[in-house]
Amino acid sequence: MNRREVLLSGVAMSVAGTLGTRALAQAGKEILIGCIWPLTGPTAQIGADARHALETAADIVNNAHDLDLPTAKSAGLAGLGGAKIKLVFADHQGDPQKGRAEAERLITQDKVVAICGAFHSSVSATVSASCERYGIPYVAADSSSPSLHRRGLKFFFRPAAHDEMFSLAMFEFMDALKKKGKKIDSVGLFFEDTIFGTDSSNVQRKLAADRGYKVVADIKYRASSPSLTAEVQQIKSANPDVLLPSSYTTDTILLMKTMDELGYKPNNILAQAAGFSDKATFDAVGDKLNGMISRASFSLDLASKRPSVGKVNDMFKARANRDLNDNTSRQLTSILVLADAIDRAKSTDGEKIRAALAATDTPGEKTIMPWKRIKFTAEGQNDDADPVLLQYLGGKFITVYPAQAAIAEPKWPMNG
């Protein structure tokens, strides 16, 4: 045997050993699922809320509940003899390379059968690449960059919408308002410089051109910038009819504070969620956000039509002391989708779980989301994850779009 054959043999034995140990780790009726979120750092509140959401999902899977959701009515996974899922958390701190290292640790040391994550699209990019190398499914719960599902990955799945879908809903909303006589001729793009912001702006720039909206401000800024004074002055000078921000939490707070300091009140804000859906933002600057509209995946108003939505929200609220939102609803759903696939696979083998995920076809009525269904394309994207738009009024979010989900007309302009 030559040196190359020895090396290849060693790699094969290492992978086989990892897979074998993982199978043994699941033999005790406990299925380990890795959960990678920012548990410390500027977006730690996202991670704290995610933990509550993911643990609520684990409760739904592991115990019997009167909920019209997959795996909910039985205790544990029936396909694996009632095995329970166990969540293993890792902190990526908003750092893509830290996320990569934590993913490999979860796979090789903790022997998880799949990984969910990661809020930051930049982290989902590195973590999903690691999962692909090891043949472990990755479920992108709340990372919305469109490029994530277009890399030819076999083990990547995203149940929720991506930013092209969200942005299209935003522009269709503006089109509908224009038909009702609202003045919307110009937009301002304001976006951070990681994959989330740049992908979002690329989509919005194209949609604006296609639909006849003038881009009067096109501002890219450095994520976690210590100052946004110059950028806000540019926005104020341009005074777009609608400001379209794509920002994480600390930047969102700084943006709103800087606007206030410079005496700028935007006509309307139509946000790409992220920092504009984080509790930390509303705790800090909620008084400056009345009338802001954000895209979302979840509408609590749906509870009036679908009892499971209200019941699951109550379960989450008992842990988190707040209602489900755009982020936490997607995080919770990701675990339910993955648990259902493991249950149908009747296996902890990565390839079999991947095949079960690919075969998923869950009607919207069997979820807590306002979607048609959950069914993945060959690229691992659910194209039936219909977005909604929520307006922040009087300290709470109200669904204002689309018409079939709306419970109120939008206040437009937001400061009018």
Side-chain angles (χ1 to χ4, degrees):
M1 182 179 288
N2 62 33
R3 182 174 182 274
R4 181 174 180 274
E5 290 171 329
V6 169
L7 289 173
L8 290 175
S9 175
V11 170
M13 290 176 65
S14 175
V15 172
T18 296
L19 295 176
T21 306
R22 182 174 296 108
L24 290 173
Q26 311 310 324
K29 302 295 184 180
E30 196 170 67
I31 312 300
L32 305 184
I33 296 174
C35 302
I36 296 183
W37 263 272
L39 305 179
T40 59
T43 50
Q45 183 63 54
I46 294 291
D49 289 345
R51 183 184 287 270
H52 291 309
L54 301 166
E55 289 177 346
T56 300
D59 181 356
I60 292 170
V61 175
N62 290 338
N63 301 291
H65 293 276
D66 183 22
L67 298 168
D68 194 15
L69 303 172
T71 75
K73 294 188 182 297
S74 62
L77 302 178
L80 285 170
K84 305 297 179 73
I85 64 171
K86 181 180 179 180
L87 308 180
V88 185
F89 288 89
D91 178 15
H92 64 60
Q93 302 172 13
D95 181 346
Q97 298 314 315
K98 176 71 172 175
R100 185 200 304 275
E102 287 298 284
E104 295 190 357
R105 179 185 63 79
L106 287 171
I107 294 168
T108 61
Q109 296 182 29
D110 290 298
K111 316 301 179 187
V112 300
V113 303
I115 292 179
C116 289
F119 185 63
H120 298 81
S121 290
S122 56
V123 177
S124 273
T126 58
V127 171
S128 57
S130 292
C131 288
E132 190 77 9
R133 286 196 299 275
Y134 284 93
I136 294 295
Y138 178 74
V139 178
D142 49 1
S143 299
S144 57
S145 170
S147 62
L148 288 174
H149 72 278
R150 292 173 179 153
R151 296 169 294 154
L153 300 185
K154 181 181 176 183
F155 288 83
F156 176 91
F157 295 89
R158 177 163 48 195
H162 56 75
D163 286 334
E164 285 181 5
M165 299 165 69
F166 284 127
S167 292
L168 180 59
M170 295 156 88
F171 276 82
E172 288 178 342
F173 171 66
M174 291 192 292
D175 288 347
L177 287 177
K178 284 187 72 173
K179 289 180 180 178
K180 294 180 178 180
K182 301 293 185 182
K183 180 186 179 298
I184 314 174
D185 298 320
S186 63
V187 297
L189 308 185
F190 179 80
F191 56 99
E192 52 95 54
D193 62 353
T194 74
I195 187 175
F196 163 60
T198 54
D199 276 4
S200 173
S201 69
N202 288 337
V203 172
Q204 293 178 338
R205 200 173 293 112
K206 183 178 186 304
L207 284 168
D210 291 346
R211 291 169 182 255
Y213 294 94
K214 184 177 181 181
V215 178
V216 296
D218 195 341
I219 301 169
K220 179 179 181 178
Y221 70 91
R222 181 164 55 87
S224 301
S225 176
S227 172
L228 293 173
T229 299
E231 290 83 354
V232 171
Q233 287 173 335
Q234 292 179 59
I235 300 169
K236 183 179 181 180
S237 177
N239 194 30
D241 293 324
V242 184
L243 178 63
L244 302 171
S246 301
S247 302
Y248 288 125
T249 303
T250 54
D251 298 335
T252 300
I253 294 171
L254 180 59
L255 172 66
M256 299 311 299
K257 286 182 175 179
T258 306
M259 284 182 177
D260 186 56
E261 290 167 2
L262 296 179
Y264 171 54
K265 290 186 177 181
N267 299 308
N268 298 284
I269 296 176
L270 192 48
Q272 200 71 277
F276 286 88
S277 64
D278 186 1
K279 179 181 181 296
T281 298
F282 293 93
D283 287 345
V285 293
D287 59 321
K288 300 172 179 59
L289 286 167
N290 196 58
M292 180 274 302
I293 296 175
S294 176
R295 56 81 165 167
S297 296
F298 177 72
S299 170
L300 185 54
D301 299 324
L302 188 62
S304 62
K305 301 177 182 178
R306 199 179 300 168
S308 290
V309 175
K311 292 177 182 179
V312 172
N313 185 68
D314 288 344
M315 292 175 65
F316 172 78
K317 196 168 185 177
R319 293 174 181 270
N321 197 32
R322 64 186 67 99
D323 293 322
L324 286 164
N325 64 16
D326 179 52
N327 293 325
T328 50
S329 62
R330 288 183 288 169
Q331 293 154 1
L332 188 152
T333 296
S334 70
I335 293 294
L336 296 184
V337 168
L338 182 53
D340 173 53
I342 296 171
D343 190 40
R344 287 184 286 107
K346 299 181 180 180
S347 173
T348 58
D349 175 73
E351 180 57 49
K352 291 180 179 178
I353 297 172
R354 187 212 67 78
L357 281 165
T360 297
D361 192 354
T362 304
E365 294 76 14
K366 300 285 186 181
T367 76
I368 63 167
M369 311 300 270
W371 301 343
K372 292 184 187 72
R373 61 179 178 173
I374 300 175
K375 183 177 177 63
F376 298 108
T377 66
E379 295 179 310
Q381 173 63 43
N382 176 26
D383 283 345
D384 293 313
D386 309 299
V388 296
L389 299 181
L390 309 176
Q391 187 163 34
Y392 186 70
L393 291 169
K396 64 178 182 179
F397 279 104
I398 297 170
T399 308
V400 295
Y401 185 84
Q404 63 267 27
I407 64 166
E409 288 292 321
K411 179 185 178 184
W412 195 277
M414 64 180 283
N415 289 307

